[in-house]
């Protein structure tokens, strides 16, 4: 009968649409899962080098403390300290990602000048990183207002990550 054929056709169409939606959702989930995997691989590689340095220099200190000069001991301690400081941002990033996924990330929104936040990020990097002393930053004052509502610490973190990547992946 015609009504039955119409109902069957509508049911088949609905099943086809839902199947397509499920496939699209699965593809999106697969992409998200791959992005997480890629992130964890990159993070693991980034964590490994500073951790090896911390372990190696602390082991050298504990095994041969009496044989080392005071200067060498101080040098090893500095290496350990620098390596630990390199690990901290990665661990903070992991915590931030966990908070974001759990919905527990809190933002302190207020009006800030992006230009001033960029300048602050550069200055903080100059203070905390010996590797950027030779770089010159030229910030062109825009002819428009750079004030936006944002979490200043998160935006500074974004700027620092951008600058850090620029240094890391640029030729000397």
């Amino acid at each position: 009968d015609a009504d039955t054929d119409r109902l069957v056709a509508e049911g088949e169409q609905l099943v086809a649409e839902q199947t397509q939606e499920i496939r699209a959702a699965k593809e999106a989930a697969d992409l998200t899962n791959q992005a997480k995997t890629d992130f964890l691989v990159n993070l693991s590689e980034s964590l490994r080098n500073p951790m090896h340095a911390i372990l190696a220099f602390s082991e050298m200190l504990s095994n041969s403390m009496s044989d080392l000069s005071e200067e060498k001991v101080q040098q090893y301690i500095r290496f350990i300290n620098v390596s630990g400081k390199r690990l901290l941002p990665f661990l903070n990033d992991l915590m931030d990602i966990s908070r974001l996924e759990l919905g527990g990330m809190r933002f302190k929104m207020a009006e800030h000048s992006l230009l001033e936040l960029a300048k602050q990020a550069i200055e903080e990097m100059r203070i905390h990183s010996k590797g950027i002393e030779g770089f010159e930053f030229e910030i062109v004052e825009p002819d428009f207002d750079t004030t936006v509502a944002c979490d200043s610490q998160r935006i500074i973190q974004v700027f620092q990550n951008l600058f850090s990547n620029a240094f890391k992946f640029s030729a000397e």
Side-chain angles (χ1 to χ4, degrees), residues 83-171:
S83 296
K85 287 179 180 174
R86 282 181 43 212
L87 282 174
L88 194 56
F90 295 116
L91 298 174
N92 288 336
D93 288 347
L94 275 176
M95 289 174 54
D96 287 347
I97 289 170
S98 297
R99 285 187 196 116
L100 277 172
E101 286 186 343
L102 295 173
M105 183 71 104
R106 299 215 193 304
F107 296 100
K108 297 175 186 168
M109 303 301 280
E111 295 286 320
H112 298 283
S113 163
L114 288 177
L115 182 64
E116 293 305 314
L117 294 177
K119 289 178 182 177
Q120 187 176 343
I122 291 166
E123 192 55 36
E124 286 182 19
M125 289 187 72
R126 278 195 177 123
I127 292 169
H128 298 296
S129 175
K130 295 178 182 166
I132 68 167
E133 291 170 358
F135 288 93
E136 289 295 322
F137 291 91
E138 180 180 347
I139 297 180
V140 178
E141 296 283 334
D143 57 356
F144 54 89
D145 184 17
T146 64
T147 302
V148 295
C150 64
D151 181 323
S152 63
Q153 293 306 310
R154 297 292 173 205
I155 297 300
I156 288 172
Q157 183 180 19
V158 167
F159 281 134
Q160 288 176 337
N161 288 341
L162 287 171
F163 299 148
S164 177
N165 285 339
F167 298 135
K168 191 184 308 180
F169 298 109
S170 296

Side-chain angles (χ1 to χ4, degrees), residues 16-148:
E17 288 172 4
Q18 290 177 341
T19 301
Q20 184 62 29
E21 288 174 10
I22 290 170
R23 282 189 183 128
K26 182 187 178 308
E27 287 175 17
D30 288 344
L31 286 172
T32 300
N33 192 37
Q34 184 60 48
K36 278 185 178 181
T37 299
D38 293 345
F39 170 78
L40 289 173
V41 166
N42 289 333
L43 182 66
S44 297
E45 290 172 0
S46 297
L47 292 172
R48 185 180 302 126
N49 289 338
M51 182 55 75
H52 280 306
I54 289 170
L55 294 173
F57 285 111
S58 62
E59 189 173 312
M60 285 190 285
L61 278 172
S62 66
N63 289 340
S64 58
M65 185 79 159
S66 60
D67 299 337
L68 297 174
S69 68
E70 180 65 26
E71 182 180 318
K72 205 55 143 171
V73 168
Q74 290 303 315
Q75 180 185 18
Y76 288 178
I77 290 171
R78 278 192 303 276
F79 287 146
I80 292 168
N81 186 275
V82 167
S83 296
K85 287 179 180 174
R86 282 181 43 212
L87 282 174
L88 194 56
F90 295 116
L91 298 174
N92 288 336
D93 288 347
L94 275 176
M95 289 174 54
D96 287 347
I97 289 170
S98 297
R99 285 187 196 116
L100 277 172
E101 286 186 343
L102 295 173
M105 183 71 104
R106 299 215 193 304
F107 296 100
K108 297 175 186 168
M109 303 301 280
E111 295 286 320
H112 298 283
S113 163
L114 288 177
L115 182 64
E116 293 305 314
L117 294 177
K119 289 178 182 177
Q120 187 176 343
I122 291 166
E123 192 55 36
E124 286 182 19
M125 289 187 72
R126 278 195 177 123
I127 292 169
H128 298 296
S129 175
K130 295 178 182 166
I132 68 167
E133 291 170 358
F135 288 93
E136 289 295 322
F137 291 91
E138 180 180 347
I139 297 180
V140 178
E141 296 283 334
D143 57 356
F144 54 89
D145 184 17
T146 64
T147 302
V148 295

